[in-house]
Amino acid sequence: MNQFEYELAPNVENAVASGRSNGAVFLAGGTNLIDLMKGNLVRPTRLVDINRLPGLDRIEFLPDGGVRIGALVRNSDLAHDPKFARDFPAVAEALLSGASPQLRNAATVAGNVMQRTRCPYFYDAASACNKREPGAGCEARGGHSRLQAILGWSAHCIATHPSDFSVPLVAFDAVVEIDGPQGRRDVALEDFYLLPGNTPERETILAPGELIVAIRLPAQAALFAGHARYLKIRDRTSYAFAVVSAAAGLRIEGDRIVEARLALGGVALKPWRARAAEACLMGRRAGREEFAEASMLALQEARPSGENEFKIELARRLVVRAFERTAIDNTARLSPLPASIVNLTEEIQR
Amino acid sequence: MNKSVNLSINGTRHAVTLDDPRVTLLDLLRERLDLTGTKKGCDRGQCGACTIILNGRRVNSCLTLAVSCGGAEILTIEGLAQGDVLHPVQAAFIEHDAFQCGFCTPGQIMSAVGLIMEGQAGDDEERIREGMSGNLCRCGAYAGITQAVRQAQARMNERERTGEAA
Amino acid sequence: MNIMNTAHVRHGSNIGQNLTRREGALKVTGAARYAADHHPAGMLYAVLAVSAVARGRVTALDVAAAKAHPGVVDVMTPQNAPKLAHHPDEKTNPFAFRLDILQDAQVRYANQPIAVVIGESLEAATEGAVLLAPAYQAEDVVVRFEDGEHFVPAAVGVGAPAEEGHGDVEAGLRNAAQRVDVTYDTPAHYHNALEPHAIVAEWQGERLIIDTPSQGMAIAQGRLAGLFGIAPEDIYIRSPYLGGGFGGKGLIAGPQVLGIMAAKLVGKPVKLVMRREQLYGPIGHRGVTRQHMRLGADTEGGLTAIDHHILTATSRFDDFFEPSAGVTHTLYATPALLTRYEGMRFDTGTPLFVRAPGEASGSVALEGAIDELAEACGMDPLAFRLKNYAETEPLTGKPFTSKALRACYAQGAARFGWAKRPLAARMMTDAQGLLTGWGVGTATFPAHMFQASARAEIRSDGSGVVEIGAHDMGQGAWTALAQIAADGLSLDMDKLTFRIGTSDLPDAGIAGGSAHTATAGSAIHNATGAAIAALADIAMRDETSPLFGAGNAGVVSRDGHLYRRDDESRGESYATILSRAGLDSVEGRGEGAADQAVTENYAGHAHGAVFAEVKVDPELGQVRVTRLVGAFAAGRVINPRMVESQYLGGMIWGVSFALHEEAIMDRRTGRPVNGNLADYHVPVNADIPSVEAILIDEQDSLINALGIKGVGEIGITGTAGAIVNAIWHATGIRVRSMPVTLDKLLF
């Protein structure tokens, strides 16, 4: 780890001012930043500790039915908040299927959204990576690519975004509240992330000094409370990043779907909102055939970035499964176990 | 530039002077305060061997900067037993042979203490296993760990009940 | 002494007791000090810089930049590294594997140490290692079977023949009614003990004091003595607790030697702890294998031939070929048997011993292929195994010292409920729609013994002392060996002072090959026997003792007393005998080693049967091992609790082998792609919902005086095969490439 100046920010204004300086980064839970620094993958010269910023650790349920989550709320606190888990079950489920209990206790919600890719070549300081060093090349291409992107990748970067939490947030139109040198602004999380294109080093729309202060889920998101799931496929039962994941939501009236939501994780450098799939379900029955059609649409642009073609078919199947599970009214379900094989079926058992 | 950080570790107050902001809580405990019970298995948040209780929550001390912990209450494996009387989790780990080499054990035990405090797992083995999955055990003592956590939790609940009755 | 020894009978009640770990309280309170927990006064921190290329040369190191970093004290490179007494590439004995310890700028594998930075703090030394910013001249690498030349190795493992067998395999296959011809792939594995290799080294003049985890302190002393040109007895090693070994700490590794060299360079104590990501290179690994299995069976399901061809890879600079054929030599009766090897050279560190080296990888291929042949014959896989049960060792024809495998099959199957298994695949679906399958695998591991010495003492206060430089890496030596020691002296455990884990104690040999309890236990048994004999000798010569003249009848020891064997009403306490003789204590020494007459004429193996239930998501391919039952017979059980833990741990390694572990090297650079614990998967607790071990009674009067076989490694064998076979039974898919990840089950 390189040497750096440490500064404890007393308020947002000071944090933003300090965060503007060259080489400064914000330190919150540290579960990603400190790891990256230990790997010699980022070398900030100033750490602006935002852990004591007042007022950013609260969950506010808004009068309209939405929720405003302070940036410093810890992942586990949000997941275990009973009202939040009831209103936004897919988000709680995603939180609990990420990382480990210890990491979730430390990691903040904004930090979760901000976490960097787990591409093994990004994570290896000796490998060429356009994210770490623009123009260096992408050693992931032609390398071990089993878990790399199948959507939205470019010749310059085939990495995926590792967050579970962000996937349902994108599905349910979460908005990121940003404070910065130019004042406050709100950005839809889906637009917050940037696809790699020719500039994989640019990962979000944040400008220097800009700080996430809250994440909002709109009231509309809570309308899916009875039919919302996050399913995660991974190579071991727990404590592993997604091979692919899916956040799905349905609003069902009578025997018809009146609104559908779908976002995929582990497939692209941002959570992948599948609007064509959502649209095709409007007014249809919640049936396997309909979901299969949606799954084809969700992955229609997918192409392998290496030896990962299986992820396309796996993602299609997961979409079907996610909608099938989502179609079951899950209001009475226990707080979720992670998306292990047992979890996929637990609502049937209980 | 030296920074002074006040910490309460296992009930004892420490005024720690840090000459280097890079020092993690784990390295502070192990290399500067001779509290070597907390172990370093990966130093990257991937194994759980460094688990401690920080301000009432289990965390990986390897990913926590000491300088950021001013005013913190810290509980490590060294602070768990009351004198010669083992904490119920410690006793249950011995009884169920919930370890072999013992290297992941302090982290497993602190994680179990955290899990029980969180109260999310109940007596559901599947939830206990999930709740303990942030702690790798390469010797493969998982079956014993799960049973030890169940038993310790039951004893702690029982103690609480009888304590309340008395 | 031995003659007298046999004349005496010793009684004790500790062996077989389900004692908890004697060091348990230390381990659960954090008080047990592992190597890296030491901090001698004036200690500095040493951090390795390792190579980013897998083959080539280091052309530049920015030593000045590293030294300019505040807190960096020195940088050790090939230019200033202390000179060694002989080159670490010299093969002084078959266990002297080549080490990379800064002799030149050459790079032979990724993560090879290329410099050591020494600092006043860990933080300073760590950053100093980054600031070295090495430059390389890199050469093309080979890390795949497809990319290089194959050859027939001179020997495999440590000195085993590269081709063995009997009978006419081709004829056996030709005449078979059913054949399988399949290839199983197993990847490289790393030990991934939770404790990284670590050393705290301090030179006191020419004397060297080190804290380091070691599965073989005397071997380490010998190697270090050779390298540093000092006497082995001037090297003092403390290794009371290992944070897991699994073979990775059997031989001293290069980074540990570098810690000692760094201490010499700076003239102060030094601590060097390997970073987790540095462990994927210089400490050995389980070699990759490609195993071509050709098996034939007659119309009755009897084997006609087994041809087991193994392609495996060693490093470019040293020879260790994963000896995967061992299980085929010992498991199934066949009129024709052939095992052959081919090797390759990869630009990796040298593969070495990883828990069940050879047996684990070979067992997957053999158990998979046997299952496939049972299927071809239309037979239940357990019935097929029983049909081909080996009454004598297949390769040698030797009788077994003991073999309770039938009982393992029977009791394991009964506990598991095997009788309800449908013969065909893909017949069982659970209430949630998950495909369910049951599989079996046979477990086997040789009952090795190495060499060990022990010292026992009986004291005039009636207590006993037993000393042996044994190693506890979690298998339970502190407890099980103490139980043997207490019984050997006919004392209660609380009357026994038991010392292990330092190199000044008698050499206990290596804690490896599942041989430590048998070998060290035998040495203890003999040393304590000698102490009892010496004590008896004193009493029998003493006219005032009730034991006077017991002579050839001998004595019986029990509860700290000796009694006449022919009249047990006459006896006295150890304390009385010694006090009257005016002695503080009496001593005995003993050796443990295999009985050559037995090894020449018999085959000694532990056996077991593992039954696995898997559930597979029919669409998503996710697998979970929902139930594992293993039944094992390994001679006498010293401590059932610890033996069970060894079996369960081994079985979990089997789960890992079947479903999780795979060291991936980038084929272009030879760098590890998943060299960390986030990406190199081992099972987490949630992967192990139900695992059970049954201890099968087995009496073995030949293998050694105590009747002990080993239990540390057998659990892996059989288990991975049982899981792969269960996956077939669930899905109808034979996956022959480990690990069975979900992409291999998307059908």
Side-chain angles (χ1 to χ4, degrees):
Chain A
M1 201 186 287
N2 60 289
Q3 285 182 302
F4 55 82
E5 293 293 321
Y6 170 85
E7 175 186 335
L8 184 63
N11 56 48
V12 171
E13 196 182 354
N14 285 40
V16 166
S18 299
R20 287 180 76 172
S21 63
N22 216 5
V25 297
F26 296 119
L27 170 70
T31 53
N32 192 219
L33 177 63
I34 303 302
D35 180 37
L36 291 165
M37 291 173 69
K38 286 185 175 185
N40 195 31
L41 302 164
V42 299
R43 293 175 70 79
T45 53
R46 173 177 292 266
L47 257 59
V48 181
D49 187 341
I50 58 170
N51 279 294
R52 313 293 169 99
L53 295 185
L56 265 55
D57 60 350
R58 288 201 291 269
I59 306 167
E60 298 169 60
F61 293 96
L62 304 173
D64 68 354
V67 65
R68 183 175 184 273
I69 309 152
L72 293 176
V73 171
R74 308 289 152 165
N75 285 210
S76 51
D77 289 342
L78 184 60
H80 290 138
D81 184 282
K83 179 166 167 55
F84 182 84
R86 192 167 61 242
D87 290 355
F88 310 98
V91 184
E93 195 167 17
L95 283 165
L96 291 180
S97 62
S100 72
Q102 293 94 312
L103 291 166
R104 298 194 292 268
N105 274 342
T108 64
V109 292
N112 188 322
V113 165
M114 288 295 293
Q115 68 183 297
R116 311 286 301 274
T117 180
R118 299 298 302 204
C119 169
Y121 297 90
F122 168 80
Y123 242 82
D124 172 16
S127 294
C129 174
N130 288 321
K131 274 187 175 302
R132 278 187 281 105
E133 192 187 335
C138 171
E139 210 163 318
R141 297 209 68 197
H144 181 73
S145 48
R146 180 172 174 270
L147 297 178
Q148 303 286 12
I150 51 172
L151 283 162
W153 53 272
S154 76
H156 305 283
C157 180
I158 60 172
T160 62
H161 198 270
S163 171
D164 293 300
F165 176 53
S166 290
V167 181
L169 289 185
V170 164
F172 296 106
D173 291 333
V175 170
V176 179
E177 288 181 23
I178 297 164
D179 208 335
Q182 312 301 321
R184 291 217 168 200
R185 59 173 175 151
D186 287 358
V187 178
L189 183 60
E190 192 186 0
D191 303 326
F192 175 84
Y193 292 118
L194 301 174
L195 286 174
N198 295 325
T199 55
E201 73 279 8
R202 292 201 59 218
E203 299 180 341
T204 72
I205 52 87
L206 284 182
E210 283 196 314
L211 176 69
I212 298 175
V213 293
I215 297 166
R216 273 200 328 267
L217 274 162
Q220 187 75 6
L223 299 179
F224 293 86
H227 296 283
R229 292 301 304 270
Y230 179 74
L231 300 193
K232 177 177 179 180
I233 304 296
R234 46 187 148 176
D235 283 324
R236 66 181 172 193
T237 306
S238 185
Y239 206 6
F241 292 95
V243 179
V244 295
S245 69
L250 292 170
R251 287 204 298 124
I252 300 172
E253 289 178 6
D255 64 349
R256 298 286 152 174
I257 296 167
V258 296
E259 193 177 3
R261 295 291 177 88
L262 178 67
L264 297 173
V267 296
L269 202 46
K270 61 193 276 185
W272 195 263
R273 182 80 179 263
R275 286 205 162 72
E278 295 175 359
C280 96
L281 292 173
M282 292 286 285
R284 311 271 300 274
R285 278 174 220 283
R288 190 172 171 88
E289 269 179 41
E290 289 78 8
F291 297 149
E293 192 184 324
S295 78
M296 296 307 287
L297 287 170
L299 277 303
Q300 64 182 348
E301 291 162 27
R303 61 201 167 101
S305 58
E307 296 154 349
N308 58 357
E309 193 157 10
F310 80 95
K311 285 181 70 171
I312 300 174
E313 178 60 19
L314 182 64
R316 284 191 192 113
R317 294 179 185 192
L318 181 64
V319 167
V320 175
R321 178 70 61 83
F323 275 128
E324 284 184 326
R325 295 295 179 229
T326 303
I328 301 165
D329 187 327
N330 57 31
T331 39
R333 211 162 44 86
L334 281 165
S335 70
L337 277 172
S340 65
I341 194 163
V342 169
N343 177 47
L344 291 180
T345 57
E346 80 167 352
E347 58 266 45
I348 299 170
Q349 287 177 292
R350 293 177 197 277
Chain B
M1 189 172 60
N2 286 351
K3 291 247 190 251
S4 185
V5 179
N6 288 310
L7 302 170
S8 161
I9 304 174
N10 301 327
T12 305
R13 297 181 63 83
H14 293 256
V16 177
T17 303
L18 287 171
D19 55 4
D20 191 332
R22 295 175 293 187
V23 179
T24 61
L25 200 45
L26 174 60
D27 289 330
L28 174 72
L29 293 169
R30 288 185 50 78
E31 307 300 340
R32 294 167 188 243
L33 298 176
D34 196 33
L35 289 166
T36 55
T38 308
K39 299 298 185 229
K40 182 185 283 188
C42 73
D43 208 25
R44 305 289 290 270
Q46 301 167 351
C47 78
C50 68
T51 303
I52 58 158
I53 308 287
L54 173 66
N55 294 325
R57 341 161 46 104
R58 50 178 167 157
V59 299
N60 299 108
S61 59
C62 72
L63 294 181
T64 310
L65 290 184
V67 70
S68 183
C69 293
E73 300 265 345
I74 291 163
L75 180 64
T76 73
I77 191 72
E78 289 92 345
L80 210 51
Q82 306 280 325
D84 289 342
V85 181
L86 295 177
H87 184 279
V89 174
Q90 292 172 313
F93 263 62
I94 293 176
E95 202 171 313
H96 290 275
D97 212 32
F99 56 91
Q100 293 180 33
C101 82
F103 196 81
C104 74
T105 309
Q108 298 276 1
I109 289 173
M110 298 314 289
S111 192
V113 169
L115 174 76
I116 293 168
M117 283 170 17
E118 288 158 15
Q120 295 289 337
D123 193 37
D124 181 332
E125 285 192 18
E126 201 66 354
R127 283 167 189 278
I128 291 170
R129 280 192 278 271
E130 168 60 25
M132 292 300 292
S133 282
N135 295 80
L136 302 183
C137 170
R138 184 58 155 164
C139 296
Y142 291 133
I145 290 167
T146 303
Q147 293 315 315
V149 173
R150 285 188 67 192
Q151 186 196 68
Q153 185 171 252
R155 284 189 184 161
M156 289 165 75
N157 289 343
E158 181 63 26
R159 187 182 290 179
E160 205 168 291
R161 261 197 305 278
T162 53
E164 276 165 10
Chain C
M1 203 62 93
N2 275 337
I3 296 159
M4 295 198 62
N5 197 358
T6 56
H8 302 312
V9 176
R10 290 178 279 160
H11 291 293
S13 55
N14 294 291
I15 290 176
Q17 294 294 317
N18 217 9
L19 303 182
T20 56
R21 287 174 196 266
R22 296 181 80 227
E23 81 288 14
L26 294 176
K27 285 182 174 173
V28 301
T29 56
R33 284 208 181 241
Y34 296 73
D37 300 342
H38 292 270
H39 199 134
M43 186 190 85
L44 298 177
Y45 293 86
V47 172
L48 296 178
V50 297
S51 175
V53 303
R55 188 181 179 198
R57 294 179 63 76
V58 178
T59 55
L61 287 170
D62 195 345
V63 172
K67 280 190 166 175
H69 189 71
V72 169
V73 172
D74 208 343
V75 177
M76 186 166 73
T77 70
Q79 274 68 50
N80 65 343
K83 290 282 167 287
L84 299 173
H86 71 70
H87 196 280
D89 276 2
E90 270 179 50
K91 297 290 268 187
T92 48
N93 68 65
F95 287 94
F97 289 91
R98 292 182 172 132
L99 304 176
D100 292 280
I101 45 178
L102 301 183
Q103 298 305 293
D104 53 44
Q106 198 190 346
V107 174
R108 312 198 273 203
Y109 51 89
N111 284 336
Q112 177 193 310
I114 55 172
V116 179
V117 178
I118 302 124
E120 289 165 359
S121 72
L122 180 57
E123 293 77 20
T126 304
E127 177 63 6
V130 171
L131 294 172
L132 287 172
Y136 307 93
Q137 183 186 353
E139 294 175 44
D140 288 345
V141 300
V142 173
V143 292
R144 296 193 305 180
F145 287 137
E146 292 77 8
D147 295 341
E149 307 268 307
H150 304 182
F151 57 89
V152 175
V156 301
V158 180
E163 182 171 326
E164 286 183 275
H166 62 69
D168 186 340
V169 162
E170 295 305 330
L173 289 169
R174 218 169 28 244
N175 299 331
Q178 299 294 338
R179 291 174 205 91
V180 297
D181 183 334
V182 291
T183 300
Y184 280 79
D185 278 291
T186 69
H189 290 167
Y190 283 82
H191 310 86
N192 276 312
L194 259 288
E195 176 197 37
H197 285 52
I199 188 164
V200 177
E202 179 172 10
W203 287 92
Q204 295 178 351
E206 288 298 289
R207 192 170 147 74
L208 174 62
I209 319 286
I210 54 181
D211 293 289
T212 198
S214 172
Q215 296 174 239
M217 289 182 288
I219 299 172
Q221 273 178 313
R223 185 78 202 261
L224 294 173
L227 288 171
F228 291 99
I230 57 178
E233 54 272 21
D234 284 335
I235 301 170
Y236 178 52
I237 305 176
R238 285 182 293 231
S239 181
Y241 315 108
L242 287 81
F246 314 118
K249 293 162 183 168
L251 303 170
I252 200 103
Q256 289 158 295
V257 182
L258 288 170
I260 299 167
M261 291 164 68
K264 198 171 184 99
L265 179 74
V266 296
K268 287 187 174 172
V270 156
K271 182 195 292 194
L272 188 152
V273 183
M274 290 182 76
R275 299 187 55 76
R276 173 60 54 182
E277 55 271 25
Q278 296 174 338
L279 288 160
Y280 303 83
I283 63 153
H285 62 274
R286 190 192 303 283
V288 58
T289 75
R290 177 162 293 166
Q291 301 178 55
H292 184 196
M293 310 293 298
R294 294 191 304 153
L295 279 63
D298 60 28
T299 52
E300 304 298 306
L303 282 164
T304 59
I306 301 179
D307 177 28
H308 187 170
H309 175 270
I310 296 146
L311 173 61
T312 184
T314 186
S315 69
R316 201 178 282 281
F317 59 94
D318 211 342
D319 288 355
F320 184 88
F321 298 92
E322 171 84 356
S324 302
V327 289
T328 300
H329 297 159
T330 61
L331 262 186
Y332 299 107
T334 175
L337 172 66
L338 180 61
T339 62
R340 305 172 284 150
Y341 289 84
E342 279 183 272
M344 270 194 67
R345 296 204 177 274
F346 283 2
D347 294 295
T348 64
T350 305
L352 279 170
F353 315 94
V354 180
R355 202 174 190 181
E359 290 83 5
S361 52
S363 170
V364 176
L366 179 65
E367 289 306 305
I370 285 283
D371 224 68
E372 297 198 54
L373 189 56
E375 180 198 354
C377 292
M379 288 178 68
D380 172 82
L382 178 54
F384 184 83
R385 283 169 172 81
L386 285 164
K387 165 78 182 172
N388 292 289
Y389 194 88
E391 300 294 352
T392 57
E393 188 179 52
L395 179 68
T396 62
K398 291 177 186 174
F400 293 102
T401 58
S402 62
K403 181 175 177 180
L405 177 56
R406 277 201 180 83
C408 297
Y409 283 138
Q411 292 192 40
R415 174 76 190 163
F416 185 83
W418 183 261
K420 295 193 203 112
R421 178 185 180 274
L423 186 61
R426 212 170 170 138
M427 298 292 285
M428 297 194 291
T429 305
D430 75 0
Q432 289 96 57
L434 299 174
L435 303 177
T436 304
W438 291 354
V440 63
T442 309
T444 183
F445 198 85
H448 294 298
M449 284 183 76
F450 303 120
Q451 298 278 333
S453 311
R455 178 183 168 278
E457 189 182 324
I458 299 166
R459 290 186 167 167
S460 56
D461 62 0
S463 70
V465 179
V466 171
E467 298 181 328
I468 182 163
H471 316 86
D472 196 331
M473 50 186 171
Q475 81 277 32
W478 275 111
T479 313
L481 293 179
Q483 288 173 267
I484 295 170
D487 278 9
L489 292 177
S490 299
L491 289 173
D492 286 344
M493 290 284 267
D494 60 4
K495 294 271 191 201
L496 176 72
T497 301
F498 184 64
R499 298 197 186 103
I500 66 170
T502 55
S503 65
D504 55 340
L505 302 173
D507 175 10
I510 192 163
S514 297
H516 203 41
T517 309
T519 313
S522 294
I524 291 167
H525 181 73
N526 291 334
T528 50
I532 292 288
L535 184 70
D537 197 39
I538 292 164
M540 290 184 301
R541 288 165 198 254
D542 182 347
E543 288 180 20
T544 62
S545 169
L547 297 164
F548 178 70
N552 291 335
V555 302
V556 171
S557 61
R558 181 189 292 121
D559 284 340
H561 290 71
L562 295 183
Y563 303 93
R564 286 181 69 115
R565 197 172 179 182
D566 53 1
D567 179 3
E568 291 200 25
S569 69
R570 296 166 66 184
E572 59 182 342
S573 74
Y574 301 170
T576 310
I577 297 167
L578 286 171
S579 306
R580 199 171 47 238
L583 293 170
D584 288 337
S585 67
V586 61
E587 185 188 87
R589 288 180 180 266
E591 307 295 317
D595 181 337
Q596 289 309 316
V598 173
T599 26
E600 273 164 34
N601 296 310
Y602 293 89
H605 300 278
H607 292 92
V610 182
F611 298 85
E613 176 183 271
V614 301
K615 296 201 172 184
V616 183
D617 189 302
E619 292 168 359
L620 305 176
Q622 287 200 135
V623 181
R624 204 160 184 235
V625 179
T626 47
R627 217 150 50 89
L628 266 185
V629 174
F632 301 94
R636 192 179 195 188
V637 170
I638 303 300
N639 182 316
R641 184 188 306 263
M642 257 135 263
V643 168
E644 183 187 9
S645 289
Q646 285 289 287
Y647 290 148
L648 297 180
M651 290 163 76
I652 290 170
W653 274 60
V655 174
S656 195
F657 200 123
L659 299 185
H660 299 120
E661 278 186 67
E662 178 179 20
I664 300 163
M665 299 285 162
D666 187 289
R667 64 183 167 76
R668 303 160 302 178
T669 63
R671 295 181 56 71
V673 174
N674 61 343
N676 62 74
L677 286 174
D679 298 318
Y680 183 108
H681 283 175
V682 300
V684 297
N685 200 322
D687 288 303
I688 311 295
S690 170
V691 57
E692 192 178 337
I694 302 168
L695 279 52
I696 301 293
D697 186 49
E698 184 179 74
Q699 315 237 339
D700 192 320
S701 56
L702 292 167
I703 197 80
N704 50 52
L706 291 163
I708 300 171
K709 299 176 182 174
V711 299
E713 294 163 273
I714 188 171
I716 311 171
T717 73
T719 302
I723 292 166
V724 172
N725 295 336
I727 289 170
W728 167 77
H729 191 238
T731 64
I733 296 179
R734 292 277 181 194
V735 180
R736 303 188 185 94
S737 164
M738 301 304 115
V740 186
T741 47
L742 55 88
D743 44 307
K744 299 171 186 173
L745 291 168
L746 292 179
F747 41 86

